[in-house]
Structures are given as C-alpha cells and as structure tokens.
Amino acid sequence: MKIYTSLFPPIKGEIGPKTEVNESKCKTCNSLLESNFYKKIEYVFDDWNGEDLVKGIGCYLVSDRLKRILEDKKLKGISFKEIIVTKGDYFKFKSKAYQEEIPSFFEIVIVGTSKGPDTWFKKGDICNECNKPSWAISTEGIKAMVKSQDNQDVIPRQVYRDSWNNEDAFKLEDPADPIFTENFINVLKESKVKDVTYKEAQWV
Ligand SMILES: [Zn+2]
C-alpha cells in the first residue's frame, strides 16, 4: 500500500467571518488543547467549477457527493463536520460545475494517527503542563513544503510502518499535512475528483 501526502487540492475561496475556532490554549506553552482547530468553518467561495475537494487554511473540505462516496467505501481515519458555504461578492459558476447550485461541503476531520521520524519538523521540549512537545520546522521541511512541489531533492514525508493502524487518512504527531493511502487516492480518481495532485510519502 503506497502512501501520499499533500493532495494539493485547489483553494477556491477563503475562511469566512462566521468561522468558529477552538481557542483554548495551554497557559504554559501556548499549544492548542483541542486536536481540531475549527469548531465550525465558513468557507466563502470565489467560484465553483465542479470541485469536490478544496483546501482552506489547515483544512480539507469535501462536497456532499464526495462525502457520500468516502462513506460508502468505508474509508478509515476520517469523520465529517458540517460547514457553512457562502458565495463571495463576485462569485462565479464556471463551465465545469456539475449542478446549478453550489453543493453542501463538509470538513474532513482526520482522526487517524501514526508516527514518523522527525525529518520535516524537529521535536522540542515536552511541556510540563499539557505534555505536548513543541515543533520547529527543519531545513528539510522548509525545502519540502515551501519550495517547489516537484523538487526532487527533498526528503519525502516518512512514516513508521509499524505505527500504522490501517487507516486511509492519518496525521503524524507533527503539524504538517496529513497522509493518505493509495486506497484513498484511488477512490478520488475513480470518482473523477478534479485537480488533485499528490506526492508519494515513504514507509520507513
Ligand atoms: Zn503546554
């Protein structure tokens, strides 16, 4: 089973003012205490061209159509939360939109977890108060995430095979993007989800 990180779905708008976030932070280290940053997302679409998977800041959103497919396929490691869909002031339907109204969208909450070596992020001290480590992006991480997507010289995202819980989507401990299995990618391909490109991660 191959694994991938960064699906690079298109950004189609921005997080809106009705968005509610989980703000409770550790008083000592300032880490977020909830694993999920958003309580409820409002996503303001600038346009819609039939995309079923879109990206916001620190979140992936799926259309009602894709949510139903992912549920039917019983993919593991994800759950869904309703979001508020709003059209921006200059919103446009584009020619590839497959229906005349913008669909409902849901946040994919990644509940799967796994572990990997500290390559893109270096683990710092563990906080006495909340037991969470601090994370600092490494030079390799900057190369991998900030520089060109197809840069071949970067260390791929790495996952310990022994730590995998057979989930199709999972997060590592560090703050980088989640990992998706080949199984997950194949469902996206079969369902003709648009504009999704991905990068292989590596078992170690
Ligand atoms: Zn803390």
Side-chain angles (χ1 to χ4, degrees):
M1 175 75 73
K2 289 185 177 182
I3 47 174
Y4 300 88
T5 186
S6 298
L7 303 176
F8 304 113
I11 294 166
K12 300 302 292 181
E14 53 276 313
I15 301 296
K18 292 190 202 125
T19 299
E20 294 170 46
V21 298
N22 285 312
E23 280 173 304
S24 60
K25 285 181 183 168
C26 170
K27 288 189 186 79
T28 307
C29 71
N30 225 23
S31 292
L32 283 172
L33 295 178
E34 300 276 339
S35 60
N36 195 35
F37 179 62
Y38 293 107
K39 259 188 223 160
K40 184 147 199 172
I41 294 174
E42 178 192 31
Y43 198 75
V44 184
F45 280 82
D46 295 328
D47 66 65
W48 187 61
N49 198 21
E51 291 86 357
D52 290 298
L53 177 67
V54 304
K55 192 163 169 55
I57 300 168
C59 61
Y60 288 102
L61 307 175
V62 292
S63 65
D64 185 43
R65 179 184 93 89
L66 181 56
K67 172 179 176 272
R68 278 184 275 120
I69 293 169
L70 296 172
E71 284 172 339
D72 283 352
K73 298 282 182 185
K74 301 195 167 32
L75 293 183
K76 295 192 199 106
I78 50 176
S79 69
F80 300 95
K81 259 164 74 176
E82 278 183 42
I83 71 155
I84 302 165
V85 170
T86 308
K87 291 178 199 162
D89 291 345
Y90 304 99
F91 177 83
K92 278 193 193 119
F93 271 109
K94 296 205 155 172
S95 59
K96 302 267 168 58
Y98 56 74
Q99 61 181 49
E100 284 174 15
E101 195 40 65
I102 194 164
S104 304
F105 270 81
F106 297 81
E107 180 187 7
I108 300 192
V109 180
I110 312 286
V111 293
T113 56
S114 201
K115 288 186 173 156
D118 292 0
T119 45
W120 290 12
F121 283 85
K122 299 288 174 206
K123 196 189 267 188
D125 296 338
I126 309 275
C127 172
N128 292 330
E129 182 89 18
C130 68
N131 288 323
K132 292 190 176 183
S134 62
W135 293 96
I137 190 166
S138 67
T139 323
E140 284 304 327
I142 292 169
K143 263 164 78 180
M145 286 183 282
V146 182
K147 306 247 171 94
S148 153
Q149 289 172 7
D150 45 31
N151 186 337
Q152 294 300 307
D153 299 333
V154 301
I155 297 182
R157 191 102 160 99
Q158 295 173 324
V159 182
Y160 292 131
R161 191 185 274 276
D162 290 352
S163 72
W164 185 50
N165 300 309
N166 280 299
E167 287 156 326
D168 297 296
F170 52 89
K171 283 181 176 168
L172 302 185
E173 293 173 282
D174 67 37
D177 280 347
I179 316 271
F180 298 89
T181 60
E182 193 176 0
N183 195 15
F184 194 104
I185 302 287
N186 286 341
V187 170
L188 298 182
K189 281 191 206 160
E190 283 162 20
S191 325
K192 308 226 179 322
V193 172
K194 296 177 56 167
D195 301 333
V196 176
T197 54
Y198 36 84
K199 192 151 97 180
E200 196 166 349
Q202 189 178 53
W203 294 115
V204 288

